[in-house]
Amino acid sequence: MKWLALILGLFTATSGWASSAETSGTIQDLTTSWVGFAAIGIFFIAYMLVIFEEQLHLRKSKPVMLAAGLIWILIAIYYVGEGSPQLVEGAIRHNFLEYAELFFFLLVAMTYINAMLERGVFDALRDWLVVKGFGYRQLFWMTGVLAFVISPIADNLTTALIMCSVVLAVGKDQPKFVMLSCVNIVVAANAGGAFSPFGDITTLMVWQKGVIEFSGFFALFLPSVVNFVVPAFIMQFSLPHGRPYSHSDEMAAIKFGGLTIVGLFLLTIVTAVSFHSLLHIPPVFGMMMGLAYLQFFGFYLRRKSVSWRNGIDAPPGASVDPYNFDVFSRIARAEWDTLFFFYGIILAVGGLGFLGYLNMASGFFYGDLGPTTANILVGILSAIVDNIPVMFAVLTMYPEMSDMQWLLVTLTAGVGGSLLSVGSAAGVALMGQARGQYTFFGHLRWTPVIALGYAASIGVHFLVNG
């Protein structure tokens, strides 16, 4: 392999495609080299496969993980030929560390959400809404408000799926109600996630990077409310009249320990925030400590389960072990495809940044266009491409901006995905859950109204935080 690397190194040093900066031991701009063009091509093909995930039935993590590996292999071949392989090693380690922090943070959050799902916490909430006999307009606003309120604590994807299950349960005979409510839920979940590091991956990345303190994100609360309320207010006039018929009066019961797990999750959030704010320790360490809370509670439940099987601690009428709970089975049910997708995106975009493409993009967007225009375009781009690679690219560029502008790009990247149904994980998930009732073109019909809310939220941000 040494002779191959040497030949490739000589080729890149003498080729007209190669960069003019060839000082050994320094990172070179390879945007006009064969390495750069090949890397861009690989990333483009991989992302096309991600966009057509539903049609190809190919999980989105696979192409980006392969792309990340191929991009860094090309970079490594070039720098081995230049005699500076240590630069590549250091860059990979830096990007991998960023991913590792995000991975373990999300893994703990996903484990808690899965634990609450297993204990029936969200099922109980859904059934309560179904049996209360609310009208269509009341349910429209209640599911939207709950999506907005829950998503800052849980993530916007899980929140949207829970609220969609409510809408599908009560709107069986009203496809128009289902369609409008799903659009409203997507907008509300994305808006609610924009002002909390726990509500959206992009906001979490900004917080973990240390750009904005935890409490600083609450400055986006009012713009987020406006982003949700403006389109919801307009859409409500198209709702059907009356109230849905309740097919069942039964409510799912929360299993033993369900509310305790909710409390432990809130304590975990407090721990992560305190670690970061008071002790200047990365928040992921607080989240991992929070996982220990759940593990100890799981140990307590297992002891109760043993007692139940021995007939010592059996609730009256219980035919199934109410204490049966395994933390590691909850970890196993995490969204592994999503977690590995983040790996591929962070490493692939990191590779493009190492080649010099992000500096080029930063110079154009934040230099020529200015931060305000650039940050508004980031939100629009997030509706077409996924907001995660877009925000990671911005963080990798790290343009010089005020806190107000960093909050602006956090807001736009979070809520911009609502403009199209494919612009956010919540929208894509609901198209699958409410297949045939919530569609791309059905959402597209309301894009002008959502865009009005998008523009209004930016205006309010400048008015309140400018």
Side-chain angles (χ1 to χ4, degrees), residues 435-454:
R435 191 178 300 277
Q437 298 181 77
Y438 171 62
T439 62
F440 174 84
F441 290 104
H443 188 109
L444 187 65
R445 179 186 173 191
W446 294 99
T447 293
V449 173
I450 299 168
L452 185 63
Y454 179 74

Side-chain angles (χ1 to χ4, degrees), residues 87-407:
L87 295 176
V88 179
E89 181 184 358
I92 291 177
R93 288 185 184 277
H94 171 76
N95 283 281
F96 191 80
L97 178 60
E98 289 201 22
Y99 167 71
E101 288 191 20
L102 181 65
F103 172 86
F104 284 107
F105 191 105
L106 290 173
L107 185 64
V108 175
M110 288 176 176
T111 301
Y112 265 104
I113 296 300
N114 284 325
M116 286 186 271
L117 284 167
E118 190 274 337
R119 293 285 98 182
V121 173
F122 297 122
D123 288 340
L125 173 63
R126 179 200 63 203
D127 291 351
W128 180 81
L129 287 170
V130 170
V131 302
K132 282 297 179 180
F134 297 114
Y136 286 117
R137 184 167 293 191
Q138 288 175 301
L139 283 166
F140 174 84
W141 279 104
M142 289 186 74
T143 52
V145 169
L146 283 171
F148 183 86
V149 171
I150 296 173
S151 60
I153 303 170
D155 63 278
N156 50 7
L157 172 59
T158 302
T159 303
L161 289 171
I162 295 164
M163 291 301 106
C164 184
S165 67
V166 175
V167 168
L168 290 173
V170 300
K172 294 178 180 178
D173 305 319
Q174 281 289 354
K176 189 174 184 181
F177 166 73
V178 173
M179 176 66 219
L180 287 167
S181 295
C182 284
V183 175
N184 188 43
I185 288 167
V186 169
V187 174
N190 289 337
F195 70 90
S196 165
F198 290 85
D200 191 87
I201 303 301
T202 55
T203 319
L204 172 61
M205 289 193 294
V206 174
W207 180 46
Q208 288 210 137
K209 190 81 170 180
V211 179
I212 301 292
E213 289 297 321
F214 186 85
S215 59
F217 291 100
F218 297 131
L220 294 175
F221 175 75
L222 193 56
S224 297
V225 170
V226 170
N227 183 269
F228 155 54
V229 170
V230 168
F233 178 78
I234 298 171
M235 285 191 292
Q236 70 172 335
F237 297 108
S238 298
L239 288 166
H241 297 288
R243 65 182 68 249
Y245 171 72
S246 178
H247 298 274
S248 173
D249 292 330
E250 294 184 6
M251 288 183 61
I254 299 177
K255 294 181 183 178
F256 182 87
L259 295 180
T260 302
I261 291 175
V262 173
L264 291 176
F265 184 44
L266 294 175
L267 180 61
T268 298
I269 293 173
V270 171
T271 304
V273 173
S274 300
F275 269 39
H276 186 65
S277 301
L278 303 177
L279 303 176
H280 304 288
I281 297 174
V284 64
F285 288 92
M287 293 296 287
M288 292 301 291
M289 186 172 176
L291 182 59
Y293 304 158
L294 185 61
Q295 288 178 311
F296 272 101
F297 186 66
F299 173 76
Y300 166 73
L301 288 178
R302 283 200 305 275
R303 299 291 296 177
K304 296 276 285 183
S305 180
V306 171
S307 299
W308 183 85
R309 288 196 297 270
N310 293 332
I312 300 172
D313 193 7
S319 57
V320 180
D321 184 356
Y323 308 117
N324 182 35
F325 180 81
D326 181 9
V327 171
F328 290 102
S329 70
R330 299 304 100 199
I331 294 175
R333 293 178 66 86
E335 290 286 336
W336 291 102
D337 181 55
T338 300
L339 291 170
F340 287 131
F341 172 72
F342 295 153
Y343 164 83
I345 286 297
I346 288 175
L347 269 292
V349 173
L352 296 180
F354 189 78
L355 290 167
Y357 285 108
L358 297 187
N359 283 335
M360 179 190 297
S362 179
F364 172 71
F365 280 98
Y366 290 95
D368 298 342
L369 299 179
T372 298
T373 303
N375 290 333
I376 293 172
L377 288 175
V378 162
I380 297 171
L381 189 60
S382 295
I384 304 167
V385 188
D386 193 88
N387 60 357
I388 294 165
V390 173
M391 178 54 86
F392 184 72
V394 173
L395 289 169
T396 305
M397 296 174 196
Y398 210 82
E400 283 192 28
M401 295 193 295
S402 63
D403 285 354
M404 191 274 289
Q405 288 290 347
W406 276 110
L407 285 172

